[in-house]
Amino acid sequence: MKKEPFVTNEKLQEIASQYPTPFHLYDEKGIRENMEALKEAFAWNPGFREYFAVKANPNPNLIKILGEYGCGCDCSSLTELMLSKAMGFDGAKIMFSSNATPAEEYQYAREIGAIINLDDITHIDFLEEVTGSIPKTISCRYNPGGLFKISNDIMDNPGDAKYGMTTEQLFEAFKTLKEKGAEEFGIHAFLASNTVTNEYYPMLAKVLFEVAVKLQKETGAKIKFINLSGGIGIPYRPDQEPNDIRVIGAGVKKVYDEVLGAAGMGDVAIYTELGRFMMGPYGCLVTKAIHEKHTHKEYIGCDACAVNLMRPAMYGAYHHITVMGKENQPCDHMYDVTGSLCENNDKFAIDRMLPKIDRGDLLVIHDTGAHGYSMGYNYNGKLKSAEILLKTDGSFELIRRAETPKDYFATLDGFEEYKKMGF
Ligand SMILES: *Cc1c(COP(=O)(O)O)cnc(C)c1O
């Protein structure tokens, strides 16, 4: 599929004339349409709820849009919990799926009534010790181990992942939690990441539904929800076929009827904790080509760097690039598109065929709406960029300002000299 930016060149030039590059730009229309499709796909399940994985994009202006459709928040840390609470989400709409959890995070999660998803069996005692009790509603994260395969394709390697409890521990945990006063249970698993296939959720659902039937039978625990978590991917590459969320929803319904329905458990709610799928395609990083360099290779130097988008440097991840205004020119130049960090892996693309790039060209780096801005950091003293929302009516709004040097120095209490520098 041809990958095209969600913003026209004309509109982007208008935005860039008002806000300096680099910045992340988000597409309200795309976010809404995708959200509506997800709701429709799971409308057959009355208890369905998406808990948006806040870590993918913790901008309250964007989360608010999802909140309009009844979404909750999936949090992994204290500040994410605080953000969700500050936005007005009530406890039932906040899922806390953490691991290696500090005591104060469990304490705060309990204080705001978030649903706690335990990563490990030892966290039962830890939670009781640090919060004084076990909540009435509780969830456990499951890791069946081994390899997760679809047909003969290995999707991921849960046996090598640090998350979740073994099958034996899960049964043990349910029994212990029940003894300690828990009344309603959830089961959660995240077995493969960024899956670009309609089969992942139905396969995962089958594993979880089957274990749920056994758990309810053997432990008498009342299963309230099954959380399919994240993992639905997006087509970062132009040759990938996007997932069809309606097909995925129908696939989950089929196993739901076959396994849970047949066992008289047709009242179990389905939860999801999607991050990438909700936001990934609806964000892009806009950067300007500020240098060209001809040495052993051809380089284009940008005003963005891995601080703005870490995935290529961290995972070697592919992000499609469009040179704005040159969409119809032949891709007859091979470039490494780089940032300015003193790190040779600070490259948005390596040996990428693109149209001839001139200084001043705007580059759109696609699919940065999830795990883009949020993975940013301050290496080399680089500052994090602004975030801008392109609204449904074509207007645009700054939804996070760019960092300034003052922000960078702000945590150095006692170092006052920087205030004399005139910024
Ligand atoms: C990261 C994460 C998600 C979101 O994953 P995506 O691949 O972005 O959908 C959901 N739940 C948990 C517990 C996570 O760690």
Side-chain angles (χ1 to χ4, degrees), residues 5 30-31 57 65 77 89 92 94 99 113 127 131 164 247 258 263 280 287 400 413:
I31 294 169
N57 193 324
I65 298 173
S77 66
F89 289 97
I94 304 176
N99 69 95
L127 178 67
T131 69
V247 173
E258 282 166 11
T287 180
R400 188 194 298 265
D413 292 341

Side-chain angles (χ1 to χ4, degrees), residues 50-56 74-76 96-99 117 141 163 188 190 192-195 201 227-233 272-278 370-371:
E50 152 72 358
Y51 289 81
F52 173 64
V54 173
K55 72 164 195 251
D74 166 43
C75 301
S76 59
F96 187 42
S97 292
S98 58
N99 69 95
N117 183 27
R141 184 166 184 166
Y163 310 105
H188 167 281
F190 190 158
S193 197
N194 192 28
T195 60
Y201 253 16
N227 185 344
L228 301 176
S229 188
I232 297 191
T272 57
E273 290 174 343
L274 297 166
R276 195 185 312 271
F277 183 76
M278 303 310 293
H371 314 293

Side-chain angles (χ1 to χ4, degrees), residues 184-247:
E184 291 180 321
F185 292 77
I187 314 172
H188 167 281
F190 190 158
L191 301 186
S193 197
N194 192 28
T195 60
V196 191
T197 159
N198 293 328
E199 288 176 68
Y200 169 64
Y201 253 16
M203 294 250 326
L204 169 71
K206 188 164 188 299
V207 171
L208 288 177
F209 295 166
E210 283 171 353
V211 87
V213 171
K214 279 195 204 141
L215 272 167
Q216 186 155 309
K217 234 182 235 158
E218 272 186 40
T219 68
K222 165 83 189 123
I223 308 225
K224 184 182 178 212
F225 63 85
I226 289 173
N227 185 344
L228 301 176
S229 188
I232 297 191
I234 59 169
Y236 285 100
R237 293 176 178 274
D239 59 1
Q240 286 176 306
E241 186 71 24
N243 288 318
D244 184 337
I245 196 66
R246 290 180 180 82
V247 173

Side-chain angles (χ1 to χ4, degrees), residues 106-227:
Y106 273 145
Q107 285 157 354
Y108 186 67
R110 289 299 301 279
E111 195 182 309
I112 64 173
I115 304 173
I116 291 174
N117 183 27
L118 295 170
D119 181 66
D120 189 48
I121 190 160
T122 61
H123 290 201
I124 299 173
D125 286 345
F126 184 75
L127 178 67
E128 194 177 31
E129 191 184 303
V130 301
T131 69
S133 66
I134 292 297
K136 292 214 176 339
T137 303
I138 190 115
S139 173
C140 291
R141 184 166 184 166
Y142 179 41
N143 181 342
L147 293 173
F148 194 73
K149 291 184 192 168
I150 288 180
S151 311
N152 282 321
D153 276 354
I154 296 174
M155 302 220 56
D156 225 317
N157 186 354
D160 201 32
K162 67 173 176 171
Y163 310 105
M165 310 181 193
T166 66
T167 309
E168 214 179 8
Q169 288 171 341
L170 186 67
F171 280 77
E172 183 78 28
F174 268 51
K175 282 180 204 153
T176 308
L177 287 164
K178 199 160 169 268
E179 280 162 21
K180 289 180 183 290
E183 290 169 8
E184 291 180 321
F185 292 77
I187 314 172
H188 167 281
F190 190 158
L191 301 186
S193 197
N194 192 28
T195 60
V196 191
T197 159
N198 293 328
E199 288 176 68
Y200 169 64
Y201 253 16
M203 294 250 326
L204 169 71
K206 188 164 188 299
V207 171
L208 288 177
F209 295 166
E210 283 171 353
V211 87
V213 171
K214 279 195 204 141
L215 272 167
Q216 186 155 309
K217 234 182 235 158
E218 272 186 40
T219 68
K222 165 83 189 123
I223 308 225
K224 184 182 178 212
F225 63 85
I226 289 173
N227 185 344

Side-chain angles (χ1 to χ4, degrees), residues 377-390:
Y377 57 118
N378 281 118
Y379 191 48
N380 275 200
K382 295 286 178 180
L383 304 173
K384 296 178 82 182
S385 78
E387 295 183 290
I388 297 166
L389 178 62
L390 178 60

Side-chain angles (χ1 to χ4, degrees), residues 265-418:
M265 290 169 66
D267 60 345
V268 172
I270 299 298
Y271 293 169
T272 57
E273 290 174 343
L274 297 166
R276 195 185 312 271
F277 183 76
M278 303 310 293
M279 287 291 178
Y282 316 112
C284 62
L285 174 60
V286 181
T287 180
K288 191 179 280 173
I290 53 173
H291 290 287
E292 51 183 286
K293 174 167 178 170
H294 317 280
T295 54
H296 307 291
K297 295 184 88 173
E298 294 295 300
Y299 295 101
I300 294 296
C302 300
D303 60 4
C305 62
V307 157
N308 308 108
L309 175 67
M310 198 183 191
R311 298 185 72 258
M314 190 166 176
Y315 312 119
Y318 179 96
H319 279 264
H320 199 65
I321 296 178
T322 299
V323 184
M324 295 307 280
K326 297 186 175 175
E327 292 84 347
N328 299 318
Q329 293 186 16
C331 292
D332 54 3
H333 281 65
M334 196 200 289
Y335 291 117
D336 279 15
V337 179
T338 81
S340 54
L341 294 188
C342 304
E343 269 285 356
N344 197 42
N345 68 0
D346 184 17
K347 294 178 178 176
F348 293 117
I350 296 172
D351 295 338
R352 182 79 56 90
M353 296 307 295
L354 290 166
K356 181 175 186 313
I357 297 173
D358 296 294
R359 284 173 61 193
D361 280 348
L362 287 183
L363 309 187
V364 160
I365 304 180
H366 292 241
D367 302 318
T368 67
H371 314 293
Y373 180 94
S374 64
M375 282 175 96
Y377 57 118
N378 281 118
Y379 191 48
N380 275 200
K382 295 286 178 180
L383 304 173
K384 296 178 82 182
S385 78
E387 295 183 290
I388 297 166
L389 178 62
L390 178 60
K391 297 193 177 178
T392 319
D393 65 5
S395 64
F396 51 92
E397 185 190 343
L398 186 69
I399 55 171
R400 188 194 298 265
R401 68 164 172 82
E403 280 183 348
T404 66
K406 207 168 164 181
D407 296 313
Y408 182 77
F409 292 117
T411 46
L412 292 167
D413 292 341
F415 177 67
E416 298 296 322
E417 289 78 356
Y418 76 88

